[in-house]
Amino acid sequence: MNSDMYKINACIFDLDGVVVDTAKYHYLAWKRLAKELGFDFTIEANERLKGISRLDSLNILLEIGGIVLSADEKEKLAEKKNQWYLEYINKMQPDEILPGVKNFIKELKSKGIRIGLGSASKNAKLILNQLEIIDLFEVIADGTRVLKAKPDPEIFLLAAKDLNVDPHQCIVFEDAEAGIEAANRGGFTSVGVGDPKILCKAKAVIPNFIGMTLDKMTGLIG
Ligand code: BG6
Ligand code: MG
């Protein structure tokens, strides 16, 4: 394969679990909802909700609890969960940015690599503002802009289109299985952030961004 195929023009970052650990806040809010509905929601089950949309998450939660509801009732519960989630998010501080990721993005930018966000979250801009890093991202593709949730590639394709880059010259960083599948289906180079057992379909997996550089990354995917 021609080495130009791997020339990186842009990097697209997922938000939750890649830039910041919001999974713990999603978990607390879903657990509270499950409790109110009369069943327990475990941290293991929370893994299934990573990367997927709010409504898809609620559907899994209700399936776990054996509860069937109308679309209207679901809408109300999703809104209730989001209000609880926002209580946590509104208290977040810039020191909750995951270690190494900010420096890595700055290095990429200094080398002319374009940076986008590709997140299923409808709260993405709020979170980036809260963390004071919204200006790091040239393009923000979030849950307010797409109809199809991950594992559909729509969100990453939208970010690539906004960045004016070809998916083949673009890395997607993801912590969720659904996100890796979305990136692969879209023709991106997928890099998993987290557990290699869960993210086995990624082109490469890193535990976190501590000490990560463009050279190291190129070596991993090359
Ligand atoms: C993803 C999270 O980034 O965003 C999911 O990994 C979450 O857990 C999804 O369900 C939607 O988030 P929000 O903020 O729109 O409820
Ligand atoms: Mg994620």
Side-chain angles (χ1 to χ4, degrees):
M1 199 176 275
N2 182 328
S3 62
D4 276 355
M5 292 287 285
Y6 286 114
K7 186 178 179 312
I8 302 162
N9 283 334
C11 288
I12 299 173
F13 291 78
D14 171 46
L15 176 64
D16 297 312
V18 169
V19 175
V20 62
D21 177 19
T22 41
K24 59 186 178 214
Y25 301 131
H26 279 297
Y27 172 60
L28 290 172
W30 286 126
K31 196 173 174 67
R32 187 166 163 188
L33 186 66
K35 193 173 175 204
E36 198 174 277
L37 294 169
F39 64 95
D40 190 31
F41 178 61
T42 64
I43 192 93
E44 290 77 29
N46 191 54
E47 272 304 310
R48 294 176 63 194
L49 310 191
K50 285 189 181 170
I52 63 170
S53 72
R54 195 181 305 166
L55 194 60
D56 289 345
S57 301
L58 177 63
N59 282 331
I60 292 178
L61 189 94
L62 293 174
E63 184 195 302
I64 292 169
I67 294 172
V68 178
L69 294 175
S70 68
D72 269 8
E73 288 166 318
K74 284 187 196 174
E75 182 77 26
K76 280 187 199 126
L77 290 187
E79 179 52 31
K80 190 180 231 187
K81 178 265 172 181
N82 195 51
Q83 288 308 317
W84 289 329
Y85 178 64
L86 290 178
E87 285 174 19
Y88 299 116
I89 293 309
N90 284 324
K91 286 187 211 133
M92 263 182 3
Q93 297 293 320
D95 65 5
E96 289 186 57
I97 298 168
L98 287 170
V101 66
K102 197 170 164 184
N103 278 347
F104 180 53
I105 293 177
K106 283 185 175 167
E107 194 226 355
L108 294 173
K109 284 171 82 94
S110 74
K111 296 195 167 144
I113 306 239
R114 311 204 51 202
I115 304 294
L117 188 91
S119 166
S121 175
K122 293 184 171 156
N123 298 305
K125 283 191 181 165
L126 177 79
I127 294 169
L128 292 176
N129 273 320
Q130 191 75 18
L131 298 174
E132 297 170 12
I133 49 170
I134 196 152
D135 294 342
L136 285 182
F137 298 87
E138 284 173 71
V139 155
I140 294 175
D142 65 16
T144 64
R145 299 185 61 205
V146 291
L147 291 174
K148 288 175 264 169
K150 299 170 189 176
D152 190 282
E154 186 184 9
I155 196 107
F156 296 134
L157 292 171
L158 176 65
K161 186 168 159 272
D162 282 0
L163 287 166
N164 201 19
V165 293
D166 186 309
H168 290 103
Q169 296 181 329
C170 187
I171 302 180
V172 165
F173 293 97
E174 255 294 343
D175 71 311
E177 220 182 330
I180 295 293
E181 190 182 328
N184 291 344
R185 275 166 57 181
F188 297 86
T189 297
S190 57
V191 173
V193 185
D195 185 344
K197 287 199 281 300
I198 296 173
L199 305 170
C200 57
K201 296 206 178 112
K203 171 103 181 166
V205 181
I206 55 173
N208 53 53
F209 287 98
I210 298 170
M212 187 49 63
T213 61
L214 177 59
D215 273 358
K216 279 190 199 168
M217 185 46 60
T218 312
L220 284 174
I221 60 172

